[in-house]
Amino acid sequence: MDRNDYYGGDSASLNLTQLYRKFRPDQAVPQDLGRDRDYAVDLIPKFIIASGELTRILVHTDVTRYLEFKQIAGSFVYRDGKISKVPSTEMEAVKSPLMGLFEKRRAKKFFEFLQNWKDEDPATHQGIDLDKDTMAQVYEKFGLEPGTQDFIGHAMALYLDDDYKKGIARPTYERIVLYTSSMARYGKSPYIYPLYGLGELPQAFARLSAIYGGTYMLDKPIDEIVTDADGKFVGVRSGNETVKAKQVVGDPSYFGAGKSAEGGKVRVVEEGKVVRAICFLKHPIPGTDDADSAQIIIPQNQVGRRNDIYIACVSSTHNVCAKDVYVAIVSTIVETDRPEQELAPGLQLLGPIHDKFVSVSSLYTPTSGGEADNIFITRSYDATSHFETVVEDVQNVWKRMNGKDLVLKKREVNVEA
Amino acid sequence: MSKQFQFKLVLLGESAVGKSSLVLRFVKDQFDDYRESTIGAAFLTQTVTLEDQTTVKFEIWDTAGQERYKSLAPMYYRNANCAVVVYDITQSTSLEKAKSWIRELQRQADPNIVIALCGNKLDLAARRQVSQEEAKKYAEEEGLMWGETSAKTGEGVSDIFTSIAKKLPLTAPPSARAGARAGPARTGVDLNKQAAAGQGQGEQCNC
Ligand SMILES: Cc1cc2nc3c(=O)[nH]c(=O)nc-3n(C[C@H](O)[C@H](O)[C@H](O)COP(=O)(O)OP(=O)(O)OC[C@H]3O[C@@H](n4cnc5c(N)ncnc54)[C@H](O)[C@@H]3O)c2cc1C
Ligand SMILES: Nc1nc2c(ncn2[C@@H]2O[C@H](COP(=O)(O)OP(=O)(O)OP(=O)(O)O)[C@@H](O)[C@H]2O)c(=O)[nH]1
Ligand SMILES: [Mg+2]
């Protein structure tokens, strides 16, 4: 059941009419942006890592038959006031303008070390223990400058802040390998993106589910979560109908997010806020070699923040807007009481902005796992630029509901009419 | 050399009018008296060869019941080159439902979509509630193709698909055709192929 009349909830892709209805209900859709139906503007900017967990799920479940993907044309990082391509091999590191001559040699050694690492061959370890040494120690061993650490940790390992440096090095190693192997897959960037926008993902899964007998109801308000005397889940009420079930799953917005508890149970709490600006541009982002799409990461240290700023840009190449329009979404985790200003370093990189829609959304997390009351709540979509944490959450909810891990095994039945 | 085309065809219509039965008859030349409401059909393909040896491959999307509860996704219509809107000649309400689908298609789908209105269950003509004149007149007003079929006996089934194949714009160069997402026209990255290559690199996948 979905209260909206479109698929995808918080991560839907909207046409212009829907976008204006959501952000500027009292304003008519302007004529200068082209045809309404050409638009599929994501509410939450995320890209799919080519070798990541979501790709594996997409391929495994065969929803790929409904979807078509294109590469994101470039992955960039901000350093010392300008943007450059993220190097992902020792070859690219050597050519990158991100580093000076001596730093390049050190970075080359570091990337060679990662590429050659074999768990079973101590000769490749250079005295480092990925499971004992911290990432800070590894950086120190190769003598990498803080600015280089910024792009490795934030634009390749995709950490949102610097806490990872205090932890053991293996997770960072794995994330960098994921980045480089994803990069190697299609060549231009480690990211892929579905034609017609991210809203295609829930639609494709909904169709797959319908094919296996699932029923979807759009435009169905959910008025109450009905529980018994012990607080256990009974059903959900919509108008004067109540559907009963053993378990319920949903996102925080259906479980009291943003509302006062009014004597009821508090099921979700706010963990922080994300500010996002959806910007329409009439030109590619400057400095990206006219890329039709790009990700730009502004590491927190580079602009004196605690959280990175992300820019995700797509265009008509991905069938999400009219020709010669570029949709760039700038986002970060809110640190002050003037969130829009926090986006300034990102907005400045875009050049003239034709129009922009700014929103601040809260990140909610469930107060309990749901095993006790059969109410299973997901986390809000976070500020990361990809789907890896979403997949982790899906796997986690599955485990809470079923008591065991989600294992994708070969389908036994061949589905056909 | 003969030309080959591929088109996406979507089926619409009230539940139980015989959408899935029509597809089953067309694709496998089978019929099932106790067919359950559709689950399990993703899409099927069937090729029609025209007189000039042109082959038209239909990628046929059945609704999988998603039309109930207003939840048919935009993805379903997306890039559809043709639609078969089905009603049951023994149920006049099913024609009303078909008309509302046609309005929806005219609003949402590609303006060049070829729409065929199809009156099914012709073998039950004794219980007819929808006259041929009424349906035909409506189809003419709206510029639709029209035909009657029986998925049970097979009457009219291949005719309707063949007429659609003939009416589709076969003159357009392949690149100019809307749709044709599957098959060689796909231009995006191929996840399946790449994933298979990826597995060799120690990716955990027990599939
Ligand atoms: C990255 C990603 C991975 C996915 N993986 C799977 C998968 O492995 N298997 C599968 O069946 N489907 C998967 N989906 C599809 C997604 O979960 C669909 O939303 C869901 O299958 C259908 O939910 P829905 O009927 O609620 O329809 P939707 O229209 O998608 O959503 C309806 C409502 O459900 C809520 N909702 C949407 N997404 C979620 C979510 N992830 N968690 C909790 N509530 C949500 C929202 O409140 C929304 O308003 C995935 C989607 C994405 C974006
Ligand atoms: N007599 C007769 N029965 C038919 C014909 N076509 C379908 N039926 C029967 O009508 C019923 C419904 O057919 P389906 O093909 O499942 O209908 P549908 O439109 O796909 O239904 P949904 O999947 O629920 O949307 C089945 O019992 C079929 O056997 C026909 O031409 N003649
Ligand atoms: Mg059916």
Side-chain angles (χ1 to χ4, degrees):
Chain A
M1 293 164 70
D2 189 339
R3 66 164 81 85
N4 299 315
D5 61 1
Y6 50 80
Y7 278 92
D10 281 347
S11 70
S13 307
L14 304 185
N15 61 31
L16 287 179
T17 309
Q18 291 166 327
L19 190 73
Y20 270 75
R21 201 191 332 148
K22 189 173 175 78
F23 288 101
R24 296 182 194 158
D26 44 358
Q27 205 174 313
V29 178
Q31 298 301 308
D32 61 348
L33 283 169
R35 287 195 309 178
D36 187 36
R37 54 191 290 163
D38 288 339
Y39 282 79
V41 179
D42 298 331
L43 294 176
I44 300 208
K46 281 186 186 293
F47 292 150
I48 300 170
I49 298 186
S51 301
E53 204 46 33
L54 180 59
T55 308
R56 209 164 70 79
I57 292 176
L58 292 170
V59 170
H60 180 88
T61 54
D62 216 14
V63 290
T64 43
R65 64 162 81 203
Y66 308 124
L67 301 166
E68 195 172 338
F69 294 88
K70 280 234 164 96
Q71 287 190 66
I72 292 299
S75 167
F76 298 85
V77 63
Y78 176 93
R79 185 169 179 183
D80 303 330
K82 55 181 198 300
I83 60 173
S84 315
K85 263 199 129 94
V86 180
S88 65
T89 59
E90 79 239 26
M91 290 282 286
E92 284 187 14
V94 176
K95 284 189 259 161
S96 174
L98 282 166
M99 293 168 286
L101 190 62
F102 293 106
E103 184 68 357
K104 275 184 184 153
R105 288 197 197 145
R106 293 186 284 265
K108 184 165 178 282
K109 290 218 170 81
F110 173 76
F111 285 116
E112 279 168 356
F113 161 71
L114 296 181
Q115 267 166 11
N116 295 334
W117 175 277
K118 288 197 188 67
D119 273 344
E120 64 285 357
D121 181 3
T124 65
H125 298 184
Q126 304 191 22
I128 289 170
D129 184 340
L130 290 180
D131 300 304
K132 287 219 179 73
D133 299 329
T134 65
M135 198 58 211
Q137 287 170 311
V138 176
Y139 283 145
E140 201 181 326
K141 162 141 179 125
F142 288 92
L144 296 178
E145 292 168 0
T148 308
Q149 298 179 18
D150 280 349
F151 85 68
I152 293 172
H154 295 260
M156 297 179 79
L158 302 171
Y159 284 110
L160 296 173
D161 56 36
D162 265 352
D163 291 349
Y164 76 96
K165 289 191 197 173
K166 297 182 215 127
I168 57 163
R170 182 168 302 268
T172 308
Y173 159 77
E174 281 169 356
R175 280 163 169 247
I176 297 172
V177 170
L178 174 63
Y179 186 96
T180 50
S181 68
S182 299
M183 187 80 197
R185 230 172 212 203
Y186 304 114
K188 290 190 197 162
S189 84
Y191 302 108
I192 54 174
Y193 183 87
L195 286 189
Y196 303 102
L198 297 177
E200 293 293 283
L201 295 174
Q203 284 184 52
F205 279 110
R207 171 138 181 103
L208 184 73
S209 153
I211 281 161
Y212 284 88
T215 300
Y216 283 79
M217 294 186 188
L218 293 182
D219 205 7
K220 192 79 178 165
I222 283 112
D223 298 312
E224 188 188 350
I225 306 295
V226 184
T227 54
D228 67 14
D230 306 329
K232 279 196 170 38
F233 178 70
V234 173
V236 299
R237 184 173 64 78
S238 176
N240 46 24
E241 299 166 284
T242 299
V243 262
K244 296 190 174 167
K246 291 196 184 115
Q247 297 179 315
V248 66
V249 204
D251 77 20
S253 68
Y254 291 97
F255 299 94
K259 300 196 190 80
S260 64
E262 283 168 11
K265 196 170 177 311
V266 178
R267 295 201 169 95
V268 293
V269 289
E270 191 187 298
E271 275 190 315
K273 290 185 196 302
V274 188
V275 55
R276 300 185 175 102
I278 300 173
C279 305
F280 288 133
L281 314 179
K282 296 253 174 147
H283 54 83
I285 297 180
T288 59
D289 285 337
D290 292 345
D292 61 38
S293 51
Q295 178 179 85
I296 304 172
I297 293 180
I298 308 179
Q300 30 122 333
N301 287 331
Q302 294 287 323
V303 286
R305 295 176 49 80
R306 273 173 285 124
N307 294 280
D308 295 350
I309 300 172
Y310 287 105
I311 303 172
C313 178
V314 283
S315 67
S316 56
T317 308
H318 308 89
N319 300 7
V320 296
C321 56
K323 204 169 170 298
D324 300 324
V325 173
Y326 293 75
V327 182
I329 308 187
V330 184
S331 58
T332 190
I333 293 183
V334 174
E335 296 175 5
T336 71
D337 52 8
R338 308 183 72 181
E340 191 175 342
Q341 284 198 354
E342 298 184 41
L343 296 177
L347 295 173
Q348 275 158 18
L349 296 176
L350 303 182
I353 295 170
H354 181 75
D355 199 357
K356 99 178 168 257
F357 301 83
V358 182
S359 63
V360 176
S361 15
S362 299
L363 299 179
Y364 292 98
T365 192
T367 52
S368 74
E371 295 89 341
D373 55 8
N374 291 321
I375 297 174
F376 301 88
I377 307 173
T378 56
R379 299 161 61 96
S380 309
Y381 288 99
D382 62 20
T384 56
S385 61
H386 49 75
F387 280 103
E388 299 303 284
T389 52
V390 177
V391 175
E392 265 169 39
D393 193 36
V394 170
Q395 290 167 334
N396 183 268
V397 171
W398 174 276
K399 186 162 185 183
R400 274 146 48 197
M401 294 176 74
N402 296 289
K404 41 183 199 280
D405 287 328
L406 174 63
V407 181
L408 297 176
K409 52 176 189 282
K410 198 174 169 64
R411 271 184 306 270
E412 273 143 40
V413 280
N414 253 334
V415 179
E416 234 201 321
Chain B
M1 221 187 84
S2 62
K3 294 201 206 90
Q4 293 189 335
F5 294 89
Q6 179 166 329
F7 293 104
K8 172 173 169 180
L9 182 150
V10 296
L11 282 150
L12 289 166
E14 197 173 24
S15 189
V17 295
K19 298 183 292 297
S20 307
S21 300
L22 276 173
V23 180
L24 190 64
R25 173 60 77 190
F26 176 52
V27 175
K28 299 197 174 155
D29 201 17
Q30 291 170 0
F31 180 76
D32 183 354
D33 264 314
Y34 303 98
R35 201 160 169 79
E36 308 231 327
S37 221
T38 301
I39 57 168
F43 47 71
L44 292 166
T45 57
Q46 175 67 307
T47 303
V48 173
T49 305
L50 300 178
E51 284 127 20
D52 63 355
Q53 297 308 308
T54 301
T55 59
V56 174
K57 184 172 176 187
F58 286 112
E59 181 185 280
I60 304 167
W61 290 48
D62 196 352
T63 60
Q66 280 193 297
E67 74 283 18
R68 277 166 266 156
Y69 311 110
K70 300 175 285 191
S71 60
L72 203 57
M75 167 179 280
Y76 187 75
Y77 310 102
R78 175 122 53 234
N79 292 330
N81 308 90
C82 38
V84 176
V85 183
V86 186
Y87 65 95
D88 174 347
I89 62 162
T90 71
Q91 300 288 332
S92 53
T93 52
S94 71
L95 180 64
E96 290 315 307
K97 189 73 205 172
K99 289 180 180 175
S100 79
W101 280 118
I102 287 161
R103 281 192 293 276
E104 178 87 356
L105 281 170
Q106 288 167 341
R107 217 179 44 240
Q108 305 263 8
D110 187 290
N112 298 321
I113 190 167
V114 171
I115 304 174
L117 178 65
C118 173
N120 189 40
K121 308 202 186 177
L122 184 54
D123 57 294
L124 302 179
R127 302 200 332 239
R128 179 189 285 279
Q129 284 187 3
V130 181
S131 72
Q132 296 198 333
E133 294 71 38
E134 180 192 357
K136 203 170 167 187
K137 181 162 168 284
Y138 166 75
E140 273 165 15
E141 280 164 12
E142 298 293 327
L144 316 171
M145 304 172 66
W146 172 79
E148 286 190 336
T149 55
S150 167
K152 185 166 183 167
T153 65
E155 190 179 348
V157 176
S158 62
D159 301 332
I160 202 147
F161 287 96
T162 309
S163 345
I164 293 171
K166 284 186 185 153
K167 183 145 186 217
L168 283 162
L170 303 183
T171 45
S175 59
R177 281 180 296 134
R181 282 181 65 158
R186 281 179 86 121
T187 54
V189 294
D190 181 357
L191 296 195
N192 294 290
K193 201 173 105 210
Q194 293 292 335
Q199 276 167 37
Q201 300 166 7
E203 217 174 281
Q204 281 184 341
C205 182
N206 46 4
C207 51

